[in-house]
Amino acid sequence: PGATMKEVLRILKPGGRCICIAHVVADENSRLRKLQRFLNPAWKRVADGCHLTRDTERTIREAGFAPVEIERFMVRGGPISPHIAGWAAKPAEMSPITGKVL
């Protein structure tokens, strides 16, 4: 996921946005997170490689997007919650060589 988000950032035009919605790992030390960790190995097999324990919001932020506007919300329906929805932008001025904000 990290390499994928860095590639999305690379191909976006400066100021371009990536719109996202995803289910993500629950809060640290929560009962839901413990359930997600327990179910994750079997879940990946039956849900076509889906991971219950990915922290997609962190992955997006660490890729270098700025600004990032993400809302976190709960959805009923078992271990595939919470969700995030929002967007992340490529900084308007970013070096094409180093990938760092100018």
Side-chain angles (χ1 to χ4, degrees):
T4 299
M5 291 312 300
K6 287 180 181 182
E7 181 65 8
V8 170
L9 182 67
R10 186 187 72 78
I11 64 172
L12 279 173
K13 294 188 297 184
R17 292 183 180 186
C18 172
I19 298 170
C20 58
I21 184 167
H23 68 81
V24 295
V25 68
D27 292 335
E28 190 74 37
N29 298 319
S30 68
R31 290 175 64 200
L32 180 54
R33 188 170 186 144
K34 290 173 187 168
L35 176 64
Q36 288 174 329
R37 279 196 304 255
F38 175 76
L39 293 175
N40 198 54
W43 190 271
K44 288 189 295 186
R45 287 193 295 277
V46 299
D48 198 28
C50 175
H51 290 248
L52 293 172
T53 57
R54 283 207 175 123
D55 190 346
T56 305
E57 181 177 357
R58 182 172 49 105
T59 302
I60 290 168
R61 292 182 187 282
E62 287 177 356
F65 288 92
V68 177
E69 293 290 331
I70 291 180
E71 179 182 335
R72 190 175 177 99
F73 58 96
M74 298 297 287
V75 175
R76 288 193 212 183
I80 55 168
S81 200
H83 284 68
I84 59 169
W87 58 268
K90 181 174 184 173
E93 295 188 38
M94 184 174 235
S95 167
I97 298 169
T98 65
K100 296 188 185 225
V101 177
L102 299 174

